Every structure is written in C-alpha cells, then in structure tokens.
C-alpha cells in the first residue's frame, strides 16, 4: 500500500507538529515558534496543530508568515468514525507491537528502531486496519487479558478494558489526519505526547528524522494532571490501595514519551535540569542537547531609554491567566506589597480567555481582598508597551521552563521576582560562576509563598540602588547569553543536519516511498 | 503535708548540689578522682532536684527534667553556651502549630472536612515525605493525605511544597488550591447572596456562614501572616454583624465569634463572647474547652485544671481528651 498523500501541497523544509500551542494559543511556546519561523524566512514550514476540541480555541491568534506553506488542524476529542472496512493489520505488525510494548515497559526502555518504524508506518498508512485490529482482533483481546492478569487482576477488568480503549481512542483519528499531512524534509515537534507520536509516525512513513524541542516536560505535566483528575479518584483497588486506572493512564503517556525519546534525534531542551530529567525519563544522553531561548535585543533595548529614572511602583505579571501561572498568589502578594507601599499597583497582563473560570476566580479574589483599585487585569497587550511603565516583573508560576518574558524584561531593563521553578533561579542569579559574576537580577521565592515574593519585591522597590544593580545584572545576562542570534544559529545547524540529504531534493522521491 | 515534704526534698537536693559545686570549684586543691566523684554527685543531686521540681509537668516531664539537669550540671562547667548546645542536641519538642493560632482543644469549624484520622496515621505520611522516599511513594502519601482532616492534610501538603520533585510539589500545590478554591468559592457565593438579601434574619444567617468560612480558612492553615489576620478580622466582623440580630441561632453565632477572637488572641473579648453564648443557650460542655484555653493563655492553671476535669468528664470516650485530661491531672 502506498502513502495516500498526493504532492499538490508544497513540500516544506520542516514539518512542525504542535500540540495545544501556535497559532491558536498565546504563550511562551507559541511566541518561541513564531520567532523561529520568522527568523528563518528562507526555510518553509508546514504545521499540524493538534488540539483538544475546536470549541477550546477562538481561531488563529498569530498571523502565520508567508514561509508557512501549510496549516492543518486535528482535534483529539473528535470521535473517530468507525473503520470503513474490516481489514486487519499484518501478523508481523502485531508481533512488533507486542515487542514494542514490552520494551517500553522495561527499565531502561529497550525499543528497536525497526519495530517502531514497522508499527507506526503500518498504523499511519492504514488507520482503518489499525482501528479494526485494535477493536476486534483476538490477538489484541488476548494481549489485554494477559496484561490485566499479570498486573492489576485485583481490580475491575471492565475498568481496565475501557481504560485501555480510552487511552488509545484518540490515536485512530490522529492516524487518519497524518495520512493527509504533506511530507517534509524533517519533522519537528515541541513536545512528546500526541504531537511527538505524530511526528514520529510521519518520520517513519517518510523516512525522515524527528527533532524534539521540549520546553516543559510533557510527560511530567500530564502526570500532574492525571494525579489531580477527580474522575479517577473512585477507582482505587480496595486491597492494595493502588489506583490501577490512574497508573494505566500515566503509563500510557510515559510510554509515548519513551517512544518519542527513542525515535527523536536530536532531543533539545532549554536548560540543564530539564536535560537530566529527559535522560531520567529514557532519552539517550548522546542525543540530548541544550539550546536556551533567545530574544531579539533590538526590540527591547530602546525601551530602556524611555523608562523613568526611578522604578515605578508597578509590579506586573505578564502571562496567560491560567492556574499554572498561579495568578492568585500574585494577587495575594500584591496585598502585602500594597500594605507596605500604598501607591503600589499590580498589573496582570495576559489573555483571560483560555480559562475563563479561573480568571473569574482571580477577579473574585481581588475583590475579596479589597484590591479593586490596586490590581488590574489588562488583558493581552504588547509587552513593549507595558515594560517601560513597570518597576518589576513578577512570575508566581508553579511550573515554568525558561520564560521568555523574563528575558524580554531584562532586555528592557526590568528586574524580576520569580518562584523557584524551571530555570528561573538561573536566569535571576546566574547559571554558572561566570554568569553569577553579573550579579542577581532580582529575587527568587518558593512556590505559593506570597510573603516571600512580597519581601523580594519590596526590597527592590524601596531601594533604588539595589534595583539599579538588579537591572544592570539582568541586562548583562540577557545580552551575553540569551540572544535570538544564538538560538537561531543553533537551530539552523540542527535543521541543516536533518535536511541535507540530497535524495530529498525531489518531491517525486517521496511519492515512491 | 505532701507538698511540704516535696519542698523539703527539693531544698535538701539543692543544698547538697550547691555544696558539691562549691567544693568542686572553690575548694582546696583536689586530685582528678575526687573532682570526678564530685561532678557525678553534683549531677545526681541536680537530677534529683529536677525530678522533684518537674513532677507536675506530665507528658513534658522528660524534656523538663533534661533541661533542668543539663542547665544545673553544665552551666557551672561549660557556661551558658555549652548548656544551650546540650539542650539543642537533645532536640526540644517543636511548637505544634508555629504558623497559625491553634488550641489544644481546637475543633474544626462547621463545613470543614473531618477525616478518618485513625485509619491514616499522619506521622507515617509525614515520615514518608520527610524521608525522601521514592517520588512515587511520596505521591501516594499525598494522595492518602486526602483522607485526613483538612488541617492535617494541608500541613502535609505545605511541607511537600518544598519537595525537590516537580510532580510531588505540584500535586501538593493543587491539593492546597483545591481546598482553598472550595472555601473561597463558598465565600464568593455567600457574598452574592448577601448582597441580594433584604431580610435581616436571613442576612444574619449569611453573615454567620461567612464568618465560619473565613474562620475555616484560618483554621485549616490556608492563610498566613497578614492574610491570616485579615481572614480572622473578616470572620469576627461578620460574626459581630450576625450577633446583633436577635434570632434562634444567636448563641451559635456568639460561639463562632468567641472562637475567632480566641484565635486572634483577643482573650478578654473571646471570654465575653463565650459567656454570652452560654447565656443564649450554648451548652457549657461546648464552651468549656475554649474557656480552658483562655485560662491557659492567661496562666490561670488552676482554672485550666478545673475546666479540663469538666471536659474530661463530658468526653470520657474520646481518646484525644483522655490524653489532655491525663496531662493535666
């Protein structure tokens, strides 16, 4: 069977597979993707956007530049239609799938590239056969029963069976979408999960490499979501007190993560701690590397000249109003700051549409703390309009990677107070001895600690000398280490290595795969 | 007679101790063996004095004996710093609730979740979190902590906020936020209802519920520092407004007010509120634990003992009260 894509859409240099981000969601990762595309105008990009449900998104929030030659959407929540015919996957595919599952469960994971390619290619080329096999094949039923008996036989088989089906259900529709996605010289994804798996499948089909750039660690984020999931609470095994269904979901995402790590090369992340985490989760160390974020200094340096001489008593949280940013802790922090500096203001600058319920809770908290005239929700704004008017940036997030907004603030001469998440401490205090010599660009506090955040903010707002020293440290740090030129050079090199195969110069070669 | 004998014992041990000390430090030249014998005798005399002097301290007696003995023995030999080091090494018992107001008898406000603490020993969960066991075990401990009462669970979650593993830290955070969201959501909806309420009796009920919700924020340890003070002030304000309305539940409102004021440290006002609550029909067995707390904080220990005996008689079957009664006997 041949791959059904017909080369009417231009073949891109890079096929970007993006889950829950650019161009339909605003945020750090989306801005990073936008930067990457715009700073490589000579390369063409095709984009596959993978989202939850269409209703979660309010259309495109970024104007895609002309070098984006194809944009396709896929929504995981959309139910897959029943298979059009009752074809089954080849026995060799099933055996390879069995070995693949066993290998993913092993510590350390042991997956052969041949099995991985064989399974992914077969499932993508013939999604109907994949679906029929998964739903009806005796072999799959036997595999589920045997796995159930070996692991969770004390709990309900019905729960186990339907959990296995639920975890795999989104893959049927995704495989159908991948059949229509145009080939590219390399595929690039910014997460593991469904996007990583899709990138891996496309890479297997077109025999092209998959580049993985993880900002946050996708598997970790899914695990945290699953641990909080109320719909899994009542499925505890009364004897062992374990939660097998929750564990099954977690194992599913861990398995995808391991598969993507096994197939991606290179595996890029933003800072050293995340690289170690990737290795701990199964990434081969020799394929991992760190490429920090970078910003266009030219956009932000002029803002330093329009700043007032003394820091305005304005503390800004620039980011989406979503739980992971812990905006409520920012509001509580502002209560302490305003108690000490009555003229102080807190600005929350970022879109509120992503989680309207949470945004309303934050507004309610502002009202209940009597801060209506001190804390404002400004919505999405151009940061270059905001930065000259604020004295401090604050990030109260419970999870971050390497926030671009801190780098933008430093470049514009605004120190920051952050929680100790991701590489925020390195950005504030320096990553190594040479970097630390620049000094501290603000202060760091534990998560969910408004008093400590307020102490850090007050120290800088009340002491202009300390504020100026922090400003100077931030400027020196961003200028020496976090420029867009460095980042783009690194990705140019990665793309060059991944796309230089001369065999790929002709689109007709793809059609013969 | 017993007290007189005890006092005589104490004085005699003290006298013997001082004499040994004088002999050891200021006496004529002695050889090493004699000095060692005097040091041991000094230690034993100090220990005897400490045993007699701390007889009434019940569960804390061991620590008290150690402190008095260490001070008596080491201060003359190694000075205050040495004694402080000895005491520190012994590990003094920590303040059970360093971050927020609490009471020996403190009970959950209405609406607070009361868990099956007997089934889930908090000490075991805390040990798992502290021992830096495998992250999976720490996550399991946090999930299990959900069975505890809200205040105990939140104390564990807060400790886990400093965990080095993201999953553990973020799970703890989300659990705390879940508790907080539930109470803050309740406060928000009560405020909306209150804004629309014209009937003073119903408004008083809403004020009372608001007082309880703010009190619950404080009780659970969800707010600290200024925010804790703010929550208690709001709780007291709402309770005062509710208490101005003459209604069937006024006693209950005053009882809430008393508890909030006690947590705030306004002991006289708290006592007044409890007295009024009793006058409005709240049974003494409910107010007595708080009266004991007030007596304790004002260092009126004979009243504490009296209240404790009274409460002990009422709640004979409750283990936690048995322990308290035994402590004060």
């Amino acid at each position: 069977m041949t791959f059904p894509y017909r080369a009417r859409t231009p073949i891109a240099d890079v096929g970007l597979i993006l889950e829950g981000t650019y161009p339909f969601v605003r945020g750090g990762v989306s801005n990073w993707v936008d930067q990457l595309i715009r700073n490589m105008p000579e390369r063409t990009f095709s984009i596959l956007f993978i989202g939850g449900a269409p209703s979660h998104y309010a259309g495109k929030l970024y104007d895609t530049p002309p070098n984006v030659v194809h944009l396709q959407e896929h929504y995981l929540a959309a139910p897959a239609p029943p298979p059009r015919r009752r074809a089954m996957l080849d026995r060799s595919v099933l055996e390879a799938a069995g070995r693949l599952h066993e290998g993913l469960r092993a510590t350390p994971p042991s997956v052969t590239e041949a099995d991985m390619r064989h399974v992914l290619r077969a499932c993508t080329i013939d999604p109907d056969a994949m679906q029929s096999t998964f739903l009806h094949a005796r072999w799959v039923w036997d595999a589920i029963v045997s796995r159930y008996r070996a692991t969770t036989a004390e709990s309900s088989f019905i729960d186990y069976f339907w959990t296995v089906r639920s975890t795999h259900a989104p893959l049927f529709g995704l495989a159908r979408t991948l059949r229509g996605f145009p080939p590219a010289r390399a595929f690039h994804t910014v997460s593991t999960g469904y996007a990583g798996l899709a990138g891996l499948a496309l890479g297997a089909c077109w025999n092209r490499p998959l580049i993985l750039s993880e900002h946050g660690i996708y598997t970790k984020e899914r695990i945290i979501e699953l641990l909080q999931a109320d719909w899994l609470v009542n499925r505890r095994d009364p004897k062992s007190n374990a939660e097998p269904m929750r564990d099954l979901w977690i194992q599913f995402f861990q398995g995808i993560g391991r598969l993507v790590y096994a197939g991606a090369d290179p595996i890029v992340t933003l800072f050293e701690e995340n690289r170690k985490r990737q290795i701990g989760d199964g990434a081969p160390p020799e394929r991992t590397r760190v490429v920090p974020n970078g910003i266009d200094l030219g956009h932000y340096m002029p803002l330093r000249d329009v700043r007032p001489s003394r820091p305005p008593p304005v503390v800004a949280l620039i980011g989406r109003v979503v739980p992971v940013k812990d905006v409520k802790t920012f509001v509580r922090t502002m209560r302490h700051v305003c108690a000490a500096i009555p003229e102080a203001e807190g600005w929350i600058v970022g879109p509120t549409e992503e989680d309207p319920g949470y945004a309303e809770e934050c507004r309610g908290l502002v009202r209940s703390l009597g801060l209506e005239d001190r804390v404002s929700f400004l919505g999405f704004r151009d940061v270059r309009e905001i930065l000259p008017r604020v004295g401090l940036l604050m990030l109260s997030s419970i999870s971050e990677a390497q926030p671009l907004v801190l780098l933008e603030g430093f470049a514009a001469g605004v120190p920051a107070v952050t929680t100790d998440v991701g590489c925020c401490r390195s950005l504030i205090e320096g990553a190594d001895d040479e970097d630390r010599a620049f000094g501290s660009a603000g202060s760091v506090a534990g998560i969910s600690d408004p008093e400590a955040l307020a102490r850090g903010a007050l120290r800088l707002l009340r002491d202009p000398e300390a504020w100026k020293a922090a400003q100077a440290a931030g400027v020196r740090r961003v200028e020496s280490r976090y420029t867009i030129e460095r980042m783009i050079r690194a990705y140019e090199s990665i793309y060059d290595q991944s796309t230089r195969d001369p065999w790929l110069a002709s689109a007709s070669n793809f059609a013969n795969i | 007679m017993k007290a007189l004998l005890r006092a005589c014992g104490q004085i005699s041990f003290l006298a013997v101790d001082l004499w040994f000390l004088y002999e050891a430090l200021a006496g004529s030249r002695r050889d090493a063996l004699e000095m060692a014998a005097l040091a041991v005798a000094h230690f034993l005399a100090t220990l005897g004095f400490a045993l007699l002097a701390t007889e009434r301290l019940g569960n804390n007696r061991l620590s008290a004996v150690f402190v008095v003995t260490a001070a008596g023995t080491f201060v003359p030999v190694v000075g205050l710093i040495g004694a402080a080091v000895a005491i520190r090494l012994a590990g003094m018992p920590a303040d059970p609730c360093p971050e927020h107001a609490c009471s020996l008898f403190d009970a959950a406000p209405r609406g607070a979740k009361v868990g099956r603490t007997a089934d889930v020993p908090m000490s075991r969960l805390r040990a798992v979190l502290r021992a830096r066991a495998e992250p999976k075990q720490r996550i399991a401990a946090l999930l299990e902590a959900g069975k505890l009462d809200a205040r105990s669970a939140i104390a564990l979650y807060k400790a886990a906020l400093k965990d080095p593993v993201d999953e553990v830290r973020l799970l703890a955070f989300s659990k705390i936020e879940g508790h907080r969201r539930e109470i803050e959501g309740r406060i928000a909806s009560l405020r909306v209802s209150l804004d629309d309420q014209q009937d003073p009796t119903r408004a008083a009920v809403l004020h009372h519920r608001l007082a309880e919700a703010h009190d619950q924020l404080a009780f659970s340890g969800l707010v600290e520092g200024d925010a804790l003070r703010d929550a208690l002030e709001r709780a007291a304000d709402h309770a005062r407004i509710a208490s101005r309305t003459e209604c069937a539940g006024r006693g209950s409102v005053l009882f809430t007010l008393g508890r909030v004021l006690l947590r705030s440290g306004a002991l006289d006002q708290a006592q007044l509120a409890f007295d009024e609550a009793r006058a409005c029909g709240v049974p003494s067995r409910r107010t007595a634990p708080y009266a004991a707390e007030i007596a304790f904080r004002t260092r009126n220990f004979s009243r504490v003992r009296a209240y404790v005996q009274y409460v002990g008689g009422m709640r004979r079957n409750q283990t936690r009260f048995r322990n308290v009664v035994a402590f004060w006997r």
Side-chain angles (χ1 to χ4, degrees):
Chain A
M1 182 175 288
T2 55
F3 203 71
Y5 173 77
R6 296 287 174 263
R8 277 183 301 210
T9 313
I11 296 168
D13 292 318
V14 180
L16 280 171
I17 320 294
L18 306 169
E19 186 178 333
T21 176
Y22 184 89
F24 293 91
V25 175
R26 286 198 189 279
V29 176
S30 298
N31 291 344
W32 181 89
V33 173
D34 194 47
Q35 267 185 338
L36 191 77
I37 296 171
R38 287 181 191 280
N39 280 279
M40 295 187 179
E42 73 290 353
R43 287 185 201 274
T44 53
F45 292 84
S46 53
I47 294 176
L48 172 61
F49 170 82
I50 300 174
S55 59
H56 297 167
Y57 309 95
K60 265 169 69 179
L61 300 178
Y62 290 79
D63 289 327
T64 45
N67 54 333
V68 173
V69 294
H70 179 83
L71 172 62
Q72 197 169 332
E73 299 160 42
H74 174 79
Y75 295 97
L76 296 165
R84 280 187 287 264
R85 56 201 171 77
R86 199 63 181 269
M88 293 283 174
L89 289 175
D90 191 73
R91 181 86 194 171
S92 68
V93 178
L94 298 179
E95 284 167 358
R99 288 193 297 273
L100 203 59
H101 278 82
E102 284 302 318
L104 288 172
R105 282 193 282 266
T107 309
S110 95
V111 173
T112 66
E113 195 170 340
D115 282 343
M116 189 165 62
R117 281 181 175 276
H118 189 38
V119 173
L120 289 172
R121 211 176 130 80
C123 293
T124 313
I125 286 174
D126 195 349
D128 285 321
M130 171 176 77
Q131 193 172 353
S132 292
T133 307
F134 185 78
L135 296 180
H136 307 297
R138 179 80 204 185
W139 187 90
V140 174
W141 166 262
D142 289 343
I144 292 174
V145 170
S146 131
R147 186 73 197 148
Y148 166 75
R149 286 187 176 141
T151 55
T152 50
E154 299 294 323
S155 64
S156 152
F157 176 73
I158 292 173
D159 277 353
Y160 182 87
F161 177 77
W162 287 109
T163 303
V164 171
R165 282 215 164 173
S166 306
T167 52
H168 287 70
L171 303 181
F172 308 139
L174 183 60
R176 286 196 174 86
T177 297
L178 295 183
R179 292 177 87 222
F181 191 73
R185 291 186 167 79
F187 293 96
H188 185 181
T189 176
V190 292
S191 66
T192 60
Y194 294 107
L197 191 62
L200 206 58
L202 285 167
C205 288
W206 297 112
N207 200 25
R208 297 310 305 145
L210 173 68
I211 302 157
L212 169 65
S213 298
E214 273 198 296
H215 288 225
I217 303 291
Y218 181 95
T219 309
K220 179 181 80 183
E221 288 161 8
R222 289 294 78 75
I223 289 174
I224 291 162
E225 277 180 13
L226 287 166
L227 287 171
Q228 297 169 32
D230 292 338
W231 51 275
L232 285 164
V233 163
N234 295 325
R235 294 170 181 230
R236 188 180 287 272
D237 180 359
K239 284 188 182 167
S240 64
N241 207 29
E243 293 183 296
M245 301 315 127
R246 198 190 295 273
D247 289 347
L248 211 55
W249 274 99
I250 289 173
Q251 282 162 19
F252 174 75
F253 283 109
Q254 283 174 331
I256 290 185
R258 288 173 168 198
L259 199 62
V260 177
Y261 285 148
D265 188 12
I267 299 166
V268 186
T269 191
L270 299 173
F271 54 101
E272 186 55 27
E273 284 74 17
N274 260 10
R275 193 179 79 89
K276 288 178 186 157
R277 168 80 197 222
Q278 288 176 323
I279 293 168
D281 285 352
E286 68 281 3
R287 290 196 215 155
T288 59
R289 69 169 82 170
V290 171
V291 178
N293 276 338
I295 57 157
D296 187 346
L297 293 175
H299 273 72
Y300 302 97
M301 279 159 64
L303 303 179
R304 291 178 217 161
D305 301 329
V306 294
R307 293 191 60 80
S309 56
R310 287 178 67 85
V314 176
V315 184
L317 182 152
I318 301 179
R320 294 167 298 136
V321 182
V322 290
V324 77
K325 301 289 177 190
D326 195 8
V327 179
K328 290 180 182 177
T329 288
F330 174 75
V331 174
R332 292 187 191 105
T333 304
M334 285 314 300
R335 192 185 175 283
H336 295 288
V337 173
C338 293
I341 304 176
E343 69 274 22
E345 289 180 48
W347 293 357
I348 297 163
V349 185
T352 55
E353 302 85 42
E354 193 174 325
D355 191 340
Y358 181 73
E360 193 43 49
E361 285 176 22
C362 294
R363 288 198 178 93
L365 183 63
V366 168
R367 283 192 296 272
S368 76
L369 294 179
L371 293 170
E372 293 98 321
D373 56 342
R374 300 284 91 197
V375 174
S376 317
F377 290 81
L378 303 185
F380 175 73
R381 301 284 272 272
D382 184 350
V383 288
R384 285 177 294 178
E385 173 205 331
I386 296 292
L387 287 172
R389 296 157 58 196
V390 305
L392 274 182
L393 281 182
M394 184 171 286
L395 278 186
S396 48
S397 307
I398 53 166
S399 181
E400 284 283 355
Q402 191 174 59
L404 277 173
V405 71
L406 285 190
L407 303 177
E408 291 164 350
F410 289 170
V414 187
V417 177
T418 75
T419 42
D420 191 4
V421 291
C423 72
C424 287
R425 186 177 284 281
S426 301
L427 292 180
I428 299 281
E429 296 175 355
D432 51 40
D433 289 344
E434 187 192 343
D435 196 11
R436 276 190 280 275
F438 293 138
S440 170
S443 77
V444 184
I447 64 169
S448 193
D449 191 347
E451 286 188 90
L453 285 168
R455 272 198 303 277
L458 289 170
R459 186 179 65 80
L460 291 166
L461 288 175
R462 281 170 162 166
D463 182 352
E465 291 309 311
W467 186 89
K468 277 182 187 158
Q471 181 194 41
V475 167
R476 283 196 294 267
R477 184 158 295 129
V478 72
E479 286 182 355
S480 68
R481 291 179 170 239
Y482 300 101
T483 62
I484 187 78
E485 290 79 14
R486 283 171 71 124
M487 186 189 103
I488 293 299
R489 265 202 307 275
Y491 273 98
E492 288 281 13
S493 153
I494 289 169
Y495 284 162
D496 282 345
Q497 280 180 356
S498 303
T499 60
R500 71 176 153 208
D501 188 344
W503 181 84
L504 293 160
S506 165
S508 60
N509 284 329
F510 279 98
N512 296 328
I513 292 175
Chain B
M1 190 62 184
K2 200 176 166 186
L4 185 66
L5 283 172
R6 192 184 302 123
C8 288
Q10 283 170 13
I11 290 166
S12 61
F13 271 115
L14 195 58
V16 171
D17 181 35
L18 289 173
W19 182 76
F20 281 135
L21 194 60
Y22 171 78
E23 280 290 307
L25 299 178
S28 53
R29 288 165 57 195
R30 308 212 179 249
D31 60 23
L33 197 63
E34 259 185 300
M35 285 293 283
L38 282 171
V40 171
H42 165 65
F43 170 76
L44 290 174
T46 310
L47 181 63
F49 175 79
L51 283 168
L52 281 172
T54 58
E55 193 188 24
R56 288 180 178 198
L57 286 180
N59 289 353
N60 277 344
R61 193 174 180 203
L62 194 62
S63 300
V65 166
F66 182 84
V67 171
V68 174
T69 311
T73 307
F74 293 113
V75 167
V77 182
V78 292
L80 277 174
I81 294 171
V85 170
I87 292 165
R88 177 79 188 122
L89 288 176
M92 295 298 290
D95 181 352
C97 301
E99 287 177 338
H100 55 272
C102 70
S103 160
L104 272 176
F105 300 95
D106 222 351
R110 193 165 59 181
K113 183 188 163 197
V114 179
R116 293 177 292 123
T117 49
D119 294 346
V120 186
M122 187 171 171
S123 54
R124 178 173 64 77
L125 300 183
R126 184 176 278 150
V128 171
L129 292 172
R130 275 192 185 158
R132 297 272 183 263
E134 282 291 299
K136 206 171 173 182
Q137 287 174 300
R138 306 209 294 275
I139 286 170
L142 287 182
L143 292 173
E144 210 175 338
K147 291 179 181 172
L148 293 168
D149 63 278
R151 185 160 74 167
S152 307
I154 286 165
L156 286 176
Y157 299 148
K158 281 164 93 172
L161 285 179
K162 296 186 175 72
D163 197 283
V165 175
D166 272 3
E167 282 93 326
V168 180
R169 213 168 51 220
L170 297 187
L171 177 63
F173 173 83
S174 75
K175 293 284 180 189
I176 293 173
E177 276 304 293
H179 280 281
R180 206 196 303 268
R181 193 177 300 125
E182 189 274 311
I183 299 173
E184 285 178 350
R186 189 148 33 99
I187 290 173
S189 77
L190 284 167
R191 281 167 66 106
V192 170
S193 305
L194 188 61
D195 288 345
D196 300 337
Q197 190 52 255
Q198 305 297 325
D199 176 22
T201 309
R202 290 189 178 181
V205 172
L206 292 172
H207 276 294
H208 185 200
R209 295 219 178 122
L210 273 166
E212 287 180 326
H214 283 291
D215 183 33
Q216 200 182 333
L217 273 179
F219 172 83
S220 307
L222 288 168
V223 284
E224 293 168 15
D226 282 350
L228 171 64
R229 277 188 288 282
D230 182 67
L232 289 171
E233 274 169 25
R234 283 164 191 264
D237 289 346
H238 284 295
R240 282 196 186 98
I241 295 169
S243 70
R244 283 185 211 128
T245 306
E246 285 298 334
C247 61
R250 188 164 177 269
S252 176
V253 174
L254 287 163
F255 180 72
T256 303
L257 177 63
R259 247 176 22 176
V260 171
L261 292 169
L262 176 56
R263 262 194 256 288
S264 312
L267 302 181
D268 292 344
Q269 293 177 52
Q271 183 65 63
L272 202 63
F274 285 126
D275 291 345
E276 283 188 58
R278 256 200 331 275
C280 288
V282 174
S284 296
R285 67 171 186 279
R286 287 188 68 198
T287 59
Y290 299 96
E293 175 78 12
I294 293 168
F296 178 77
R297 293 214 204 167
T298 50
R299 307 186 64 77
N300 189 343
F301 299 121
S302 57
R303 288 194 71 184
V304 176
R305 197 164 294 112
Y307 280 123
V308 166
Q309 297 304 333
Y310 175 70
V311 175
M314 292 286 153
R315 305 186 184 191
R316 204 168 285 144
N317 297 329
Q318 293 182 18
T319 315
R320 58 193 295 210
F321 284 101
R322 274 209 301 273
N323 293 339
V324 174
V325 172
F327 180 90
W328 282 98
R329 190 169 288 140

